[in-house]
Amino acid sequence: MNIDELDLDFRLLRLFITIYDQGSVTAAATLLGVGQPTVSHGLERLRQVVGDPLFVRAGRGITPTAHAHDLAPRIRHLLEDMRSLTRIDQFDPHNPQHHLHCTIGANDYEAAVLLPTLFARVQALAADITFKIRPVRRKQDMIDKLRDGKLDMAITIDYGGDASDIMQRSLFDENVQCYFDPRFHSTPPDTLERYCAASHARVVFDDDDEASAIDTELARIGRSRRTVLQVATFGNLPRLISGTPVITTLPIRLADSVMAGYAVCRCPVVLPSYVFCQSWHVRNAASRSHQWLRDEIFRIARTIAGRKSKQ
């Protein structure tokens, strides 16, 4: 049988992605509404075109080969591009007839630092643009909601993108500093001794994962700190520790918003900076309105990245 790359078509590519996502020929056949022999025949054609087994036996199921893992994100892009050929997708933010309704996954850091500028910008535009902001507590929760459409995009700390159907773009780096009431600290808690001697408040988003990079690093060097308060959001913390000697270690850029009015000093625990990203599902990659929004967020992030910290 003479088969070459021109034998690849939308159906074969969709068949590959369905098998890849389902991890089963039988499940793929059910989802596609065809018989298992049809899927098996299509898979054999793919193997001949690509020159790789693509999926191999693993116990009672199958697992993708390394080449299949490499192909998956590229094929998703191809499928999305092919779908976009059949739809008109234009977006002009200055046209009152154009619409963008977006659900964004973000926590209160992003709501304090980045989203106010974005929201202010869109209010000056003619297009019908609306947002829903939903919290994101766990990496897998974010991925699942992007996949099923409950989120159109997310702005979070970089989760270490390892999902082939989730795309990412880095926005800016962030680090932490100490916040404290100077009335209770004649000397800033900027040494390990003063830092470890102080009482601390922490923000813990996920009750199932209370690990802290600070506590891990302190344990590594044989030190520890005493946490007297844990809260689920940044917004509640300043009111709770106001008028107390309790200190907290939070992102630097919260100094102008959530933690306004608190004194700051460097954190004596040396930690690497972390990256904030925007993430979206590949199905939205070619959408003109989503592209416009992602570019707006990126432009705002570039401004944020250039701001000096208050340290």
Side-chain angles (χ1 to χ4, degrees):
M1 183 185 299
N2 293 322
I3 297 180
D4 61 27
E5 64 274 12
L6 296 180
D7 287 278
L8 288 173
D9 60 23
F10 182 91
R11 291 181 181 84
L12 278 179
L13 296 179
R14 185 177 65 163
L15 181 144
F16 168 85
I17 286 298
T18 306
I19 298 173
Y20 183 87
D21 288 343
Q22 297 298 312
S24 163
V25 170
T26 302
T30 300
L31 192 62
L32 292 170
V34 299
Q36 185 172 331
T38 300
V39 175
S40 297
H41 176 70
L43 178 57
E44 184 56 34
R45 288 184 62 198
L46 275 168
R47 285 168 167 162
Q48 292 186 50
V49 172
V50 175
D52 184 87
L54 297 177
F55 302 94
V56 295
R57 289 286 177 188
R60 296 183 179 181
I62 59 174
T63 188
T65 64
H67 190 51
H69 278 305
D70 290 339
L71 287 176
R74 297 159 60 190
I75 289 177
R76 290 187 200 277
H77 282 293
L78 283 172
L79 288 172
E80 184 58 34
D81 284 344
M82 293 170 76
R83 291 187 184 102
S84 70
L85 293 174
T86 62
R87 63 175 184 251
I88 298 174
D89 180 23
Q90 300 294 327
F91 182 75
D92 178 359
H94 302 289
N95 187 332
Q97 301 302 314
H98 286 194
H99 308 272
L100 170 59
H101 307 301
C102 187
T103 302
I104 301 175
N107 296 318
D108 53 348
Y109 172 89
E110 297 82 19
V113 173
L114 189 149
L115 293 181
T117 303
L118 175 67
F119 191 64
R121 284 191 185 183
V122 303
Q123 295 312 297
L125 300 172
D128 176 23
I129 303 173
T130 64
F131 296 134
K132 292 181 181 178
I133 310 300
R134 296 286 185 260
V136 178
R137 299 307 188 198
R138 300 180 182 89
K139 165 187 170 181
Q140 192 57 50
D141 180 56
M142 179 191 76
I143 293 174
D144 292 342
K145 288 180 178 178
L146 287 171
R147 283 174 173 164
D148 64 21
K150 292 181 180 177
L151 293 178
D152 296 304
M153 72 165 56
I155 305 171
T156 62
I157 293 175
D158 182 6
Y159 70 85
D162 54 5
S164 64
D165 57 335
I166 305 299
M167 306 181 71
Q168 277 192 307
R169 189 180 194 181
S170 296
L171 297 176
F172 54 83
D173 294 347
E174 179 62 292
N175 214 312
V176 296
Q177 64 186 358
C178 298
Y179 295 86
F180 61 96
D181 187 332
R183 294 173 296 174
F184 293 88
H185 295 270
S186 57
T187 305
D190 56 0
T191 67
L192 272 176
E193 288 70 23
R194 289 193 289 269
Y195 186 82
C196 293
S199 296
H200 292 257
R202 285 182 55 201
V203 176
V204 179
F205 291 124
D206 185 355
D207 291 338
D208 296 330
D209 181 13
E210 295 191 3
S212 161
I214 293 174
D215 291 305
T216 299
E217 178 60 19
L218 285 172
R220 188 189 69 81
I221 61 177
R223 305 299 292 265
S224 64
R225 63 175 177 166
R226 178 172 178 258
T227 297
V228 299
L229 174 67
Q230 288 190 175
V231 295
T233 65
F234 292 119
N236 289 331
L237 202 152
R239 291 189 294 272
L240 289 170
I241 66 172
S242 177
T244 77
V246 176
I247 72 171
T248 187
T249 309
L250 298 178
I252 289 173
R253 292 187 177 91
L254 290 179
D256 294 326
S257 53
V258 174
M259 299 305 295
Y262 279 81
V264 301
C265 69
R266 71 175 188 87
C267 176
V269 182
V270 179
L271 299 173
S273 61
Y274 47 97
V275 179
F276 278 85
C277 294
Q278 54 180 331
S279 304
W280 62 95
H281 193 270
V282 67
R283 70 172 170 276
N284 289 325
S287 166
R288 297 287 179 82
S289 58
H290 282 267
Q291 286 178 349
W292 172 84
L293 181 58
R294 294 195 300 267
D295 287 344
E296 282 298 300
I297 291 172
F298 184 76
R299 279 191 283 271
I300 294 170
R302 292 298 86 199
T303 301
I304 291 172
R307 290 176 188 161
K308 300 291 185 181
S309 75
K310 282 195 166 187
Q311 287 192 76

